[in-house]
Amino acid sequence: VFACWAVAAYALGWWRLNVALAWFWWRHLDSGLHSAVHGDFRWRRGWHRCFLLIYGTLSSRAVEYYNGQAQLQGVGMSKHYWHHVHTNNRQQDPDWSTMTGIVWVRRHWSAQWHRCHRWQRVYWLPVTTIVEPFLELFHVAISLLEAFALLLEPPSEAAPPLPRRLGACAALCAELLLNPGFQGASFFLQPWRRALGTLLLARGVARIVLYPFSEVQHYMPELFDAPPAGRGSGRGVGVADGSGADGLGVEEEWAVGQLRRTANLRLGSPIARALDFFMFHGDTYQIEHHLWPAMSFVRLPQAASIVRATCAEFGVPYHEVGYLEGYAKIWQQVSANRYPPSQVDVDLACGEAGPAAAAGSGEEPEAPRAWVCSLKRHLEEDEPPDTPVEKPRAK
């Protein structure tokens, strides 16, 4: 089916079909590689190798992330497996590299703040759908030039063998030609202006459609950017580094940490659930996937009913986020982090009434809000906060 779509989109120039389904096939190819690495097709060893080769070729740039470096030959854990072990741990989860550091859209206080972030609510969508796709295309073009340049390097012990360099270059070329995120074949079969316009439009639509699938489920700082509720309760939230340790240094159970830091995407439409299933990932069952990474996505719905009932029985968190709710969460993060950490809006952190009203009512403020208020107060006073966390950079 993908081959038929690629012929119609790249060769025949059916740009409406291209834009309408590029997001689905882009996600499917990446998720197919993800499923192959996790062993979803291992019921037949030959089929497993075949799927791993196909998806690894069409998504070659993600092979190292999912499967580890080739020179290690399977020794150690890949970045993706490291993400499974240390989910949403700001200091150890490799996926957090896209949320911290220097970014156009600042969605967490640990990311470096710049004056432009004051207006990120205005430019967030254009940057997400236009600037960042352009930036990725430039980086991919640089990677292609480096791959060709590596073929010309003289033999040495530090350089990979020539067959491996040829294979890596060929796989990268195949991905750039056929992957819906790059569509290089269309530039040879259509006028380049039309091909470029269709590609940029398809990538912009893909970013909008797929935002809740990847951004929300693995990035919910409101669930772990706070001190725990109490020792041994299993219901508290970890400190700001996402380690899951309570205030007395007692580590929570790994399964509880996975349940607390991961969420399922709740899709109400049967058509949406069918599309999610055929993307070979099972995004609607991220909790179960993180609990059992080697379980096939076909079995995840069955496991979800058991996990949901068990969490309700023992009072353990089980988070589900609606598709449109995911956009609302992203907007809240963009709005809350447009100022430096020392200028966090107290109303956003403590609620409209603020901590004073909560104290007057005799009720304790919620842990995340109380911690943010404490952090803001101590930053202004240049004193360490009550919770042993890394102090955000303040200007």
Side-chain angles (χ1 to χ4, degrees):
V1 177
F2 169 72
C4 294
W5 174 86
V7 170
Y10 303 162
L12 302 181
W14 293 6
W15 68 271
R16 292 183 179 87
L17 180 67
N18 189 336
V19 174
L21 292 178
W23 64 269
F24 172 82
W25 289 117
W26 193 7
R27 182 69 173 176
H28 171 84
L29 295 180
D30 179 80
S31 300
L33 175 60
H34 169 271
S35 298
V37 169
H38 277 284
D40 284 10
F41 313 115
R42 64 185 181 275
W43 55 280
R44 287 289 187 274
R45 182 173 298 181
W47 280 109
H48 176 73
R49 292 178 178 175
C50 179
F51 281 124
L52 187 60
L53 176 63
I54 293 174
Y55 288 118
T57 301
L58 296 178
S59 300
S60 62
R61 297 170 63 246
V63 170
E64 182 175 320
Y65 169 78
Y66 285 121
N67 209 32
Q69 298 180 0
Q71 57 267 32
L72 296 180
Q73 298 181 355
V75 178
M77 291 198 308
S78 65
K79 291 183 179 179
H80 183 65
Y81 286 145
W82 199 259
H83 156 73
H84 271 272
V85 176
H86 304 285
T87 305
N88 275 335
N89 187 321
R90 184 170 53 86
Q91 297 177 344
Q92 295 179 291
D93 187 351
D95 287 10
W96 261 79
S97 61
T98 60
M99 303 298 176
T100 58
I102 302 176
V103 291
W104 269 110
V105 181
R106 186 173 180 267
R107 292 170 52 197
H108 191 259
W109 59 263
S110 61
Q112 183 174 337
W113 184 86
H114 192 271
R115 288 189 296 271
C116 67
H117 290 136
R118 295 181 184 273
W119 298 278
Q120 66 179 13
R121 292 198 299 180
V122 177
Y123 68 71
W124 160 62
L125 198 58
V127 164
T128 301
T129 57
I130 301 176
V131 176
E132 290 182 348
F134 255 119
L135 185 62
E136 184 180 1
L137 291 177
F138 285 134
H139 283 303
V140 169
I142 294 173
S143 300
L144 182 62
L145 293 176
E146 290 178 346
F148 279 112
L150 193 60
L151 297 177
L152 304 178
E153 291 289 338
S156 66
E157 296 181 358
L162 182 59
R164 183 182 298 176
R165 286 180 282 171
L166 284 172
C169 185
L172 180 60
C173 291
E175 179 183 8
L176 298 186
L177 288 173
L178 301 176
N179 190 286
F182 308 105
Q183 304 185 15
S186 62
F187 286 84
F188 295 96
L189 303 172
Q190 302 177 37
W192 71 269
R193 290 185 178 86
R194 179 175 181 177
L196 179 60
T198 303
L199 172 61
L200 294 177
L201 182 59
R203 289 182 67 99
V205 172
R207 292 298 297 270
I208 294 175
V209 173
L210 296 176
Y211 231 141
F213 282 86
S214 57
E215 297 293 328
V216 176
Q217 297 165 299
H218 294 91
Y219 181 68
M220 295 185 297
E222 66 272 13
L223 300 181
F224 52 86
D225 261 2
R231 180 179 181 181
S233 65
R235 305 181 189 182
V237 286
V239 294
D241 63 354
S243 63
D246 65 14
L248 299 178
V250 178
E251 291 287 337
E252 68 180 355
E253 294 186 22
W254 177 82
V256 176
Q258 293 292 328
L259 288 165
R260 180 167 56 81
R261 303 173 197 159
T262 313
N264 286 351
L265 186 63
R266 185 175 61 252
L267 299 177
S269 170
I271 298 177
R273 289 196 296 268
L275 288 174
D276 175 67
F277 177 83
F278 285 113
M279 280 193 290
F280 281 14
H281 197 290
D283 280 296
T284 50
Y285 304 103
Q286 276 295 290
I287 292 176
E288 290 70 27
H289 172 64
H290 274 254
L291 290 177
W292 298 286
M295 180 183 292
S296 173
F297 65 90
V298 179
R299 294 293 186 182
L300 294 180
Q302 182 181 356
S305 59
I306 300 174
V307 176
R308 189 181 295 108
T310 305
C311 290
E313 178 181 355
F314 290 94
V316 179
Y318 188 89
H319 303 291
E320 292 182 294
V321 180
Y323 185 80
L324 296 180
E325 184 184 356
Y327 287 109
K329 285 183 174 292
I330 295 173
W331 177 253
Q332 291 171 1
Q333 295 164 4
V334 171
S335 301
N337 292 282
R338 67 186 190 274
Y339 297 120
S342 59
Q343 300 179 21
V344 176
D345 191 346
V346 178
D347 290 338
L348 290 175
C350 308
E352 295 181 358
S361 63
E363 298 178 359
E364 289 188 38
E366 292 180 71
R369 296 175 178 176
W371 180 82
V372 175
C373 293
S374 173
L375 176 63
K376 180 182 186 301
R377 174 169 51 84
H378 287 293
L379 281 174
E380 292 174 346
E381 298 172 358
D382 198 20
E383 296 178 0
D386 300 332
T387 309
V389 298
E390 178 184 356
K391 181 179 178 181
R393 183 179 302 174
K395 294 186 179 180

